Amino acid sequence: MQLFLLKVTMRILVTNDDGIQSPGITALAKALAGVGEVWVVAPDRERTAVAHAVTLHKPLRVHELGTRVFSVNGTPVDCVNLALLKIMPAPPALVLSGINKGVNLGDDVMYSGTVSAAMEGTILGVPSVAVSQEGGEAFQFSVGALYATRIARLILRQGLPEETLLNVNIPNRSRRGIKGARVTGLSRRRFENPIVEKLDPHGRKYYWIAGKRISWSRSKDADHEAIEEGFVSITPIRLDTTHYEALDQFRAWEPIITRGTMKSSALRSPAGSRKRVTL
Ligand code: MN
């Protein structure tokens, strides 16, 4: 009897929203080369803040730039779909998105192409992680890459819960300056003057969405606090955003919406003597 030893190749997809030229994706791909067989499929240009957009009205082109390195003229979510369903020989064991230039904390995850790429990996059934790096004068991507590698190895050993991705943020500190890792929740943020109004040379108004972040909510175990205090922030995010605790409250609306009328006493400000109110 012959015994065959099969070397199992763990394939890892690396993508981002800063574009394939970004030093953040290079650092991540390089570091993960020691963990598995890295495939890079990333947008051909910066696509920051495109969230979960997919390209439906123009053809997508894939360019092979090197061994297992591909650029796509699409969004991060396009890249994950093409990589998993077309470019790679089989679905990867892991999707990593990043390392993004700048943090993706709290409400940022609603806008982030970096996080959406990891979300798409999760939708397609592959454990996925988004990695973002706080910046100063420069981005210390080697620090982010170190922690991304540790997290990747851990997930390959222990897996992730169903329909759950990790949103990882790295503080702008040296390797020795990082205090540790902390599991966090998403916080809420407020902007000052998020819309900046200007006048063009013809006297017509135009706008920039360019607010400065002025404050964060103080929820327990908030992700922004971990970053401020020098910890790597790890937030588990689930795809199902249903507000389960609120279901019963809204079930009381079912008969009202069905009938189209409600008792005036049930209104927040009762409408005089009328017993029933038509909606
Ligand atoms: Mn970005």
Side-chain angles (χ1 to χ4, degrees):
M1 193 179 89
Q2 269 188 310
L3 199 70
F4 291 98
L5 285 176
L6 286 175
K7 189 169 174 272
V8 180
T9 315
M10 289 282 196
R11 291 193 186 89
I12 301 174
L13 171 65
V14 173
T15 189
N16 74 349
D17 80 352
D18 292 338
I20 199 147
Q21 310 285 354
S22 170
I25 196 170
T26 310
L28 183 58
K30 211 174 136 190
L32 289 168
V35 181
E37 183 184 88
V38 175
W39 290 66
V40 176
V41 182
D44 60 1
R45 69 202 71 181
E46 168 144 12
R47 293 301 200 119
T48 290
V50 298
H52 215 94
V54 284
T55 303
L56 298 180
H57 301 294
K58 66 170 192 176
L60 291 170
R61 307 277 182 189
V62 178
H63 288 281
E64 192 168 356
L65 305 178
T67 311
R68 301 191 298 271
V69 178
F70 303 83
S71 73
V72 178
N73 62 334
T75 65
V77 170
D78 292 333
C79 289
V80 172
N81 274 286
L82 280 170
L84 267 56
L85 306 173
K86 207 75 201 170
I87 298 170
M88 299 182 73
L94 205 57
V95 172
L96 271 97
S97 177
I99 301 168
N100 188 61
K101 279 185 173 179
V103 289
N104 278 304
L105 297 165
D107 298 335
D108 292 341
V109 304
M110 306 299 288
Y111 307 89
S112 166
T114 306
V115 177
S116 285
M119 210 172 271
E120 189 67 9
T122 309
I123 289 170
L124 294 173
V126 180
S128 301
V129 185
V131 187
S132 305
Q133 176 100 38
E134 186 184 37
E137 283 183 7
F139 289 87
Q140 304 189 51
F141 289 124
S142 63
V143 179
L146 170 73
Y147 283 94
T149 305
R150 285 183 189 169
I151 292 165
R153 284 205 170 99
L154 186 55
I155 294 172
L156 288 175
R157 286 196 170 89
Q158 303 207 344
L160 283 178
E162 290 245 313
E163 304 201 341
T164 303
L165 57 131
L166 295 184
N167 184 40
V168 176
N169 283 276
I170 316 287
N172 180 28
R173 297 199 178 203
S174 68
R175 209 166 143 167
R176 299 176 74 183
I178 291 196
K179 287 194 186 156
R182 188 187 282 173
V183 174
T184 57
L186 298 176
S187 45
R188 306 293 318 277
R189 52 138 160 69
R190 279 203 316 122
F191 279 108
E192 183 177 35
N193 301 325
I195 310 285
V196 177
E197 186 179 301
K198 301 268 185 188
L199 285 181
D200 74 12
H202 308 287
R204 292 174 303 209
K205 287 175 186 168
Y206 67 96
Y207 303 92
W208 286 101
I209 296 179
K212 274 216 166 73
R213 189 153 46 210
I214 53 166
S215 66
W216 289 97
S217 68
R218 291 274 153 186
S219 65
K220 195 173 167 281
D221 301 320
D223 51 3
H224 73 98
E225 281 182 346
I227 292 298
E228 283 161 19
E229 292 169 19
F231 288 85
V232 171
S233 166
I234 301 165
T235 307
I237 294 176
R238 64 179 168 202
L239 296 182
D240 184 352
T241 54
T242 307
H243 191 343
Y244 287 99
E245 295 82 357
L247 287 182
D248 281 344
Q249 179 194 334
F250 287 103
R251 281 195 177 118
W253 286 21
E254 287 172 351
I256 300 171
I257 292 168
T258 304
R259 281 194 314 265
T261 61
M262 66 189 294
K263 285 180 186 162
S264 69
S265 57
L267 288 172
R268 282 195 172 178
S269 44
S273 60
R274 289 176 63 193
K275 282 193 177 149
R276 294 202 78 82
V277 176
T278 303
L279 293 176

